[in-house]
Amino acid sequence: MKIAPRLPFAFVAGMVSATGFAPLDLWPLTIAAFAVLLAMVIDAARLRGALALGWWFGFGHFVIGLNWIATAFTYQAAMPAWLGWIAVALLSLYLAVFPAVATGLAWRWGRADPVRFALIFAAAWILSEWLRASLFTGFAWNPLGVVALPIGGTARIATLVGTFGLSGLVALAAGGLLMLVRGRRLAGAVALLVAPAAAALLVQLPARTTQPAAAQAGALMRIVQPNIGQDKKWQAGFEGANYRRLFALSGAPAGEPRLLLWPEAAVPDYLEEEPRVRRRLAGLLGPRDVLLTGGVALEFGGNGRVIAARNSLFAMNAASRLLWRYDKAHLVPYGEYLPMRPILSAIGLSRLAPGDLDFWPGPGAQSFVLPGFGVIGVQICYEIIFPGHVVDAAHRPTLLFNPSNDAWFGAWGPPQHLAQARLRAIEEGITVVRSTPTGISAVIGADGRLLASLPWRTAGAIDWRIPRPTAPPLFARFGNMLSLLLGFALVGVAIALRKPSR
């Protein structure tokens, strides 16, 4: 069969591969779809054909996996909803370049033997995901390794090789199926079983899980999910109702120190400029309570005019004093700032999020000491998806708080976001706590298990104890270097298996 007729099959295989991500979690289909891709690529006659197959596969893969982005346009009156699907397609056209890089490298250096081909493809996939997360501010959403979360404890390998390394091992498992079909049974079995076997060994090590709530000695925290939709969040006249819901779910002081956790942008007012609002919020708190809430900070120019904003998290005590502020560092293009604003504004395009001000980025991962509660790290919303960049390594936190607003990302976006937060918990060996307006809010143990959660589109609150500090796993000490080293190791094995030419 010529390459051109195979391209639609590659596109469909890519679409099928995306069903392994949340909320479907059909991970066997993902591995099988990647195996189909590899079978087509290894038989390609030319490099151009291998690149085309990888690109069409990637296009289908991202169009389905990122379908939730289209939902964001339904909340933007300035742009028609159908434009959302054009945005998904355009983004997917770009992101498909990275799978094409992986298939091109595998074909160029490994096509003579299915074992070498699978090893080099796995290494190239690690490289491609690292590049995707790094270039042009990066877009690390839905790494392939996230499909390992439902496979027993397989995802715990991320403590050793990180998410990108885990993705490479999932790609290697798909290569294992190719080896089996091509008659390399022993090598295929090894490729399929290496990740589960390594995970089984890790499970035998002392657990890093958060202890059950009854056994914890930490302070009490309450995670609030108000179920306030994006259509009501900024609508005039709903501010009072939104506050009343947040207040009701926050409950009364507990008679012991309590850390109250609200979602990203939960407070529509400007806390630093409005002491009246701070005093109102302080009425919720007991004398030793602290509120962590998302809000907006303003940046002023020399003439006193507002020139920009910050997507921030504020810590406030019962005396209505702001203890510290964290500013989101990894901003979302078109969501929190408009690239090439003069040009795009002139043709009628604007940000998806409401408001005319662009947000400015903060300095990056930071930890803050809260007496009585420990050391708190913060990553706002989108920031949590970037492996190796979520923790201030010099001041390792006890708890990583991820306030988010997934209210405008449909049914697929929130569970995918949660899954990636689980990978950060595994990599860093730190409990991650999420508070979102409409879900999915959760407490994620240091081993990635969901300890408590609230369903999507459900109002509620979670009471939990702050865990004891945990020792950093290997990935927390060395970061994405470990993923890249795994890639080099796979290439080294492929070279060692190469038969000498006569």
Side-chain angles (χ1 to χ4, degrees):
M1 186 183 293
K2 294 182 179 179
I3 287 297
R6 291 188 180 191
L7 297 182
F9 288 102
F11 177 70
V12 172
M15 296 173 71
V16 171
S17 73
T19 63
F21 298 126
L24 301 181
D25 292 325
L26 302 175
W27 59 266
L29 292 183
T30 299
I31 296 176
F34 268 80
V36 169
L37 169 68
L38 295 181
M40 290 189 290
V41 171
I42 197 172
D43 290 336
R46 291 185 294 177
L47 175 61
R48 184 172 65 181
L51 291 169
L53 287 165
W55 188 87
W56 277 100
F57 178 91
F59 184 39
H61 179 83
F62 289 113
V63 161
I64 297 301
L66 301 178
N67 71 78
W68 53 269
I69 292 177
T71 309
F73 284 75
T74 64
Y75 297 102
Q76 174 53 269
M79 289 178 279
W82 55 261
L83 190 60
W85 284 106
I86 294 179
V88 171
L90 290 175
L91 179 59
S92 299
L93 290 173
Y94 159 67
L95 294 175
V97 169
F98 297 100
V101 168
T103 55
L105 289 172
W107 184 92
R108 175 65 181 83
W109 301 107
R111 67 187 184 277
D113 177 76
V115 176
R116 292 205 309 275
F117 178 78
L119 289 166
I120 293 176
F121 176 75
W125 192 267
I126 292 172
L127 175 65
S128 72
E129 282 199 349
W130 177 76
L131 290 172
R132 175 159 69 91
S134 305
L135 297 178
F136 308 116
T137 77
F139 188 75
W141 196 274
N142 276 353
L144 182 58
V146 80
V147 305
L149 281 170
I151 312 174
T154 302
R156 286 193 64 184
I157 299 173
T159 62
L160 302 179
V161 297
T163 291
F164 302 140
L166 180 61
S167 295
L169 293 177
V170 173
L172 184 62
L177 291 180
L178 174 67
M179 297 178 208
L180 291 176
V181 171
R182 296 299 171 96
R184 306 296 293 272
R185 293 186 177 85
L186 178 59
V190 170
L192 281 168
L193 297 176
V194 62
L201 290 174
L202 279 175
V203 170
Q204 304 305 315
L205 298 177
R208 294 181 177 275
T209 59
T210 305
Q211 299 179 28
Q216 292 174 355
L220 178 66
M221 57 181 173
R222 167 164 279 208
I223 302 108
V224 173
Q225 180 174 295
N227 194 29
I228 297 172
Q230 192 68 14
D231 54 338
K232 303 289 178 64
K233 187 174 185 62
W234 304 104
Q235 190 172 337
F238 278 88
E239 298 92 338
N242 292 344
Y243 269 127
R244 284 192 294 273
R245 182 171 296 187
L246 283 165
F247 282 25
L249 291 170
S250 298
E256 62 174 301
R258 184 181 63 151
L259 186 63
L260 195 58
L261 305 174
W262 284 8
E264 176 188 16
V267 177
D269 301 292
Y270 302 114
L271 288 179
E272 292 179 322
E273 278 69 46
E274 301 184 55
R276 175 187 57 83
V277 175
R278 296 201 302 271
R279 288 193 295 271
R280 182 182 181 188
L281 298 180
L284 282 170
L285 306 177
R288 293 179 293 168
D289 291 352
V290 172
L291 169 66
L292 300 185
T293 180
V296 176
L298 299 176
E299 293 289 339
F300 297 88
N303 56 3
R305 296 183 60 184
V306 177
I307 58 175
R310 308 269 191 179
N311 186 348
S312 302
L313 183 85
F314 298 90
M316 194 191 75
N317 64 12
S320 75
R321 185 167 66 90
L322 296 178
L323 305 176
W324 45 260
R325 185 186 95 194
Y326 169 82
D327 297 328
K328 185 177 180 182
H330 211 130
L331 301 176
V332 182
Y334 304 100
E336 292 170 310
Y337 69 97
L338 188 65
M340 302 179 293
R341 175 173 283 278
I343 297 174
L344 296 182
S345 296
I347 62 175
L349 294 180
S350 63
R351 282 179 25 224
L352 293 177
D356 296 324
L357 289 175
D358 277 339
F359 285 84
W360 284 358
Q366 292 176 279
S367 297
F368 302 91
V369 177
L370 277 180
F373 300 101
V375 182
I376 309 298
V378 182
Q379 290 285 286
I380 296 177
C381 196
Y382 177 70
E383 292 184 300
I384 199 70
I385 74 170
F386 292 92
H389 298 282
V390 300
V391 166
D392 180 358
H395 303 90
R396 179 174 167 81
T398 304
L399 179 80
L400 186 59
F401 181 39
N402 176 223
S404 186
N405 180 10
D406 297 347
W408 53 343
F409 291 141
W412 284 47
Q416 289 181 4
H417 206 174
L418 173 67
Q420 292 169 95
R422 291 177 64 188
L423 285 178
R424 299 297 84 74
I426 294 170
E427 287 175 335
E428 302 292 344
I430 288 178
T431 297
V432 175
V433 174
R434 304 192 76 236
S435 175
T436 73
T438 57
I440 302 167
S441 301
V443 179
I444 306 168
D447 61 354
R449 289 185 302 120
L450 280 180
L451 303 178
S453 64
L454 291 168
W456 184 52
R457 289 185 173 175
T458 301
I462 299 171
D463 289 319
W464 204 259
R465 296 281 177 178
I466 295 176
R468 295 185 177 91
T470 57
L474 197 65
F475 180 86
R477 295 195 290 266
F478 298 100
N480 290 321
M481 179 191 306
L482 297 174
S483 298
L484 298 176
L485 286 176
L486 174 62
F488 284 120
L490 292 171
V491 171
V493 174
I495 292 173
L497 294 176
R498 184 173 183 179
K499 295 178 182 179
S501 58
R502 295 180 180 177

